[in-house]
Amino acid sequence: MNNVGTIRLNNGIEMPLEGFGVFQVPDGNVCKQAVLDAIASGYRLIDTAAAYMNEEAVGEAIKESGVNRNDLFITTKLWTQDASYEGAKKAFQISLDNLGLDYLDLYLIHQPVGDYYGAYRAMEEFYKEGRVRAIGVCNFYPERLTDLAIHADVIPAVNQVELHPFFQQEKAIRNMKELGIQPEAWGPFAEGKHGIFTHPVLTAIGEKYGKSAAQVALRWNVQRGVVVIPKSTHRERMEQNIDIWDFALTDEDMAEISKLDIGHSEIVDHSDPAFIKMISGMKIH
């Protein structure tokens, strides 16, 4: 089994530096089999969300995997529709029931939209009650994250944001580290943009180590201290994605990759009012 590194969160718990994401993996047998394959391939961090509509399939795979629950690190997320104190209380229990679990390792606010302060207060209660081992957020840019961290009783443990070689967010990562908040990358492959899987810079670096461009992209992020959650429904690709723990990039390699940053997202603009309206109107129940 691959010896996946871990990182210590601000409350002392250990989180795997690499996990398996199930965004856009449909509920049912495809998702269940993907998670079973991922766990069999050595992944212990599984990342889902209420809005992915596949928590039940993830839960079935966890149950059938044969791996001790305490050896897994399960994350799910609160959707904007439930972003309030009372909404979060109901949504959290629904997610636990869907997953068939009695506690979560990490519970995240999916977007900084709606009454996320009220929701976070409820999450602080879940944390203090021991129903979740760590709480955090997703897609919080530096000013929102700083504001929440200053006013929260429990500083978020994790902020999951878009992080890949073409949108590196070094300033945001520095802000997270100053606050003691762990960065986690969604879209570590830039959703396939910029020809990332055959990119000449990443490919040339990989050739030195017998690794692919994709493996270099993942290794680069974990060497920055960023948790990655690559997604695939193909067992062979899962095994390749987790096979990044037997080599290290040099400072020169890291510097070459740093030149690929274009400084903005080409996937989503969180500052666009139309995007906020869209996610605010997206109902999952």
Side-chain angles (χ1 to χ4, degrees):
M1 186 180 294
N2 295 284
N3 187 23
V4 175
T6 64
I7 200 149
R8 189 177 293 266
L9 300 181
N10 59 19
N11 64 354
I13 74 168
E14 295 284 333
M15 179 179 187
L17 267 165
E18 184 172 14
F20 183 72
V22 296
F23 176 53
Q24 293 177 330
V25 180
D27 194 26
N29 290 333
V30 173
C31 182
K32 178 180 170 182
Q33 189 59 51
V35 175
L36 281 168
D37 287 345
I39 292 172
S41 300
Y43 295 85
R44 293 296 177 263
L45 161 59
I46 308 295
D47 179 280
T48 184
Y52 300 169
M53 309 298 284
N54 56 19
E55 288 175 323
E56 290 183 357
V58 171
E60 289 172 12
I62 291 167
K63 187 176 179 181
E64 290 182 24
S65 70
V67 173
N68 190 304
R69 168 67 184 96
N70 294 337
D71 293 331
L72 296 172
F73 192 102
I74 308 300
T75 303
T76 194
K77 310 180 191 82
L78 176 81
W79 186 239
T80 56
Q81 183 180 1
D82 300 311
S84 66
Y85 179 81
E86 290 300 332
K89 292 215 154 191
K90 292 174 185 169
F92 180 75
Q93 189 59 53
I94 290 169
S95 285
L96 279 180
D97 291 345
N98 285 342
L99 289 160
L101 302 176
D102 54 10
Y103 74 94
L104 287 173
D105 296 281
L106 180 62
Y107 194 45
L108 303 175
I109 291 177
H110 206 146
Q111 298 281 353
V113 173
D115 179 17
Y116 61 83
Y117 262 96
Y120 198 78
R121 297 289 177 232
M123 289 163 61
E124 288 176 325
E125 291 181 14
F126 308 150
Y127 174 69
K128 290 169 184 174
E129 292 163 0
R131 300 173 72 199
V132 59
R133 297 175 67 221
I135 56 175
V137 295
C138 305
N139 302 305
F140 273 56
Y141 280 77
E143 72 286 352
R144 289 293 92 224
L145 188 67
T146 302
D147 179 53
L148 182 64
I150 288 170
H151 295 102
D153 288 338
V154 179
I155 293 175
V158 171
N159 184 21
Q160 186 183 119
V161 297
E162 180 186 349
L163 295 168
H164 50 74
F166 310 106
F167 189 35
Q168 300 184 10
Q169 297 214 64
E170 290 286 355
K171 184 178 176 183
I173 289 175
R174 281 197 301 274
N175 179 64
M176 290 181 222
K177 291 185 175 176
E178 286 168 8
L179 294 168
I181 297 169
Q182 173 61 39
E184 181 177 19
W186 66 255
F189 294 139
E191 296 193 350
K193 295 182 188 299
H194 293 273
I196 189 169
F197 299 114
T198 54
H199 193 281
V201 171
L202 301 175
T203 299
I205 291 171
E207 283 172 355
K208 296 192 293 182
Y209 307 104
K211 298 293 181 180
S212 68
Q215 288 168 318
V216 170
L218 293 175
R219 182 71 207 183
W220 164 81
N221 244 335
V222 300
Q223 280 188 216
R224 298 199 300 162
V226 173
V227 173
V228 291
I229 45 170
K231 176 203 79 177
S232 179
T233 55
H234 304 287
R235 175 76 179 259
E236 182 183 0
R237 188 69 55 78
M238 293 176 199
E239 291 172 351
Q240 290 172 358
N241 288 343
I242 204 172
D243 187 21
I244 63 168
W245 299 97
D246 59 353
F247 79 110
L249 300 174
T250 64
D251 290 345
E252 290 78 9
D253 296 332
M254 298 293 282
E256 279 299 301
I257 296 170
S258 73
K259 297 173 186 174
L260 302 180
D261 191 13
I262 63 170
H264 63 270
S265 173
E266 293 186 323
I267 298 171
V268 61
D269 179 2
H270 284 89
S271 68
D272 181 1
F275 175 73
I276 302 303
K277 289 177 184 174
M278 186 271 288
I279 60 173
S280 297
M282 181 182 154
K283 308 301 182 190
I284 63 171
H285 57 79

